Amino acid sequence: MSVILGVTSSIAAYKSLDLVSRLLKRGLDVEVIMSENATNFVSPEAFSALTKHKTSVLTFDKNINYDVKHISLAQKAEVFAIVPATANVIAKVAHGISDDMLTTTFLACDCPKIIAPAMNTKMYENPITKDNLKLCQKYGMKIIEPAVGHLACGDVGKGHLASLDDLEDAIVSELYPKPLAHKKIVVTAGATKEKIDPVRFITNYSSGKMGVSLARAAKYLGADVTLLINKDTNLVLPYGIKVAYFESVDDLFELSKANFEKADGFVMCAAVSDYKVKTYSDEKIKKGGELHLELEKTVDILEYLGKHKGNQKLCGFAMETARDDLKLARDKFKRKHCDLLVLNNLKEEGAGFRGDTNVVTLIDEKKDEKLPLGSKSELAFEIIRRLMGVE
Ligand code: C5P
């Protein structure tokens, strides 16, 4: 798969080297086109060394083969991202000006396009730049908003290039077909925490990785995604989704109810505590003799959603340790009115909490199917596709 990266003359140009190497690690073919001014910040050879393609700068390069390079590049590109994009290049591409290799190829290209601005705050906030960015959006380009941060000029404000995680995510996402466009998918992820007293709580080992992978897969496939995740997560969350945070089961229950009605798909991947303390202690419980905590059951969110569902496709997870896990999981599938249940057994090599891989069995009305060991990100695509019935 082929990505063209346009690099223009912002101090953030050096970050594009990192971005290129991330894209290459994903097996993508990357070609770089620089504006002439950008070569003052980073040498074209640095990009060539990484991409194994000659970095283009000039439209009429006397050392290249006799083909119309801006057209041949434009034809092969599956996504074209300008990172970093200066106010100057934004103005040019908004108005169809094509006076160098970068802007000429950009204009000749009809693949998805991404613009990641990076500039001084005043330039970014200038109504002319704002209008140009709106024009770019009108023509279908995606704008990856800059962040607030310390700028090279010493100012602090908006204009800092978006994070490499977001840039990588946004570019890779464009390479996927979008069978879930206009569908709303909610994913819950991570562990709940039930407070015992101001310093202690009941939780579990769930890292949220499977849930975050599911949210990312749904986003890549075009869905409008809401992720409900534990407050203290430190995972990199997918670019361009809505996020709401929970701590306790009750928080998650409220968020789930609030997001359920409008959802087309709801994936209950969070590891929800089955019990909470009956009485929370406002003061720290002092050390003494034996301590007995009285626990009560928490609300079963998935079961509640199953009972109240309309056309939503509902996916539950079952984390088992028992040998007869399939029977338990099928019971759960029925009791919780799921459309799909994903079973994983903690005792299986490569499955379960915290790791980057999983072994899952997909259970639906008709059959059980055990999938081979896979990365959580690969499995996430399979689960979302199955749930929503898309290829
Ligand atoms: O019955 P069990 O807790 O094993 O079922 C697991 C599934 O139910 C998971 O999808 C989990 O997110 C969900 N669950 C829930 N509310 C609970 C407990 C589990 O929604 N209180």
Side-chain angles (χ1 to χ4, degrees), residues 188 190 192 249 252-253 256 266-275 297-305 315-320 328 332 335-336 338 341-342:
T188 71
T192 55
V249 180
L252 179 57
F253 186 42
S256 299
F266 199 104
V267 187
M268 194 70 206
C269 184
V272 183
S273 175
D274 292 326
Y275 290 93
K297 280 195 81 173
T298 55
V299 54
D300 193 317
I301 304 170
L302 184 59
E303 196 169 293
Y304 175 93
L305 299 179
C315 173
F317 271 69
M319 167 72 75
E320 303 292 352
L328 294 171
K332 207 169 286 181
R335 183 164 39 89
K336 303 204 185 198
C338 294
L341 191 105
V342 183

Side-chain angles (χ1 to χ4, degrees), residues 8-11 37 41 85-91 117-133 146 151-153 155-160:
T8 62
S9 62
S10 150
I11 183 71
N37 285 328
F41 289 103
T86 55
N88 181 51
V89 83
I90 290 167
M119 65 195 74
N120 166 271
T121 308
K122 293 266 162 49
M123 292 173 88
Y124 182 71
E125 304 284 348
N126 190 310
I128 304 175
T129 307
K130 292 254 164 216
D131 281 351
N132 286 336
L133 283 168
L151 304 172
C153 52
D155 286 356
V156 176
K158 201 161 179 181
H160 204 72

Side-chain angles (χ1 to χ4, degrees), residues 186-194 204 206 208 226-231 243-260 266-274 276 298-305 315:
V186 182
V187 179
T188 71
T192 55
K193 261 187 191 171
E194 294 305 317
N204 58 67
S206 171
T226 302
L227 174 67
L228 311 180
I229 190 162
N230 56 303
K231 247 185 208 165
V243 184
Y245 297 93
F246 63 80
E247 186 169 80
S248 66
V249 180
D250 288 336
D251 297 342
L252 179 57
F253 186 42
E254 291 310 316
L255 285 173
S256 299
K257 282 189 293 183
N259 283 283
F260 190 53
F266 199 104
V267 187
M268 194 70 206
C269 184
V272 183
S273 175
D274 292 326
K276 61 181 179 182
T298 55
V299 54
D300 193 317
I301 304 170
L302 184 59
E303 196 169 293
Y304 175 93
L305 299 179
C315 173

Side-chain angles (χ1 to χ4, degrees), residues 225-237:
V225 178
T226 302
L227 174 67
L228 311 180
I229 190 162
N230 56 303
K231 247 185 208 165
D232 50 5
T233 182
N234 51 18
L235 296 177
V236 175
L237 303 184

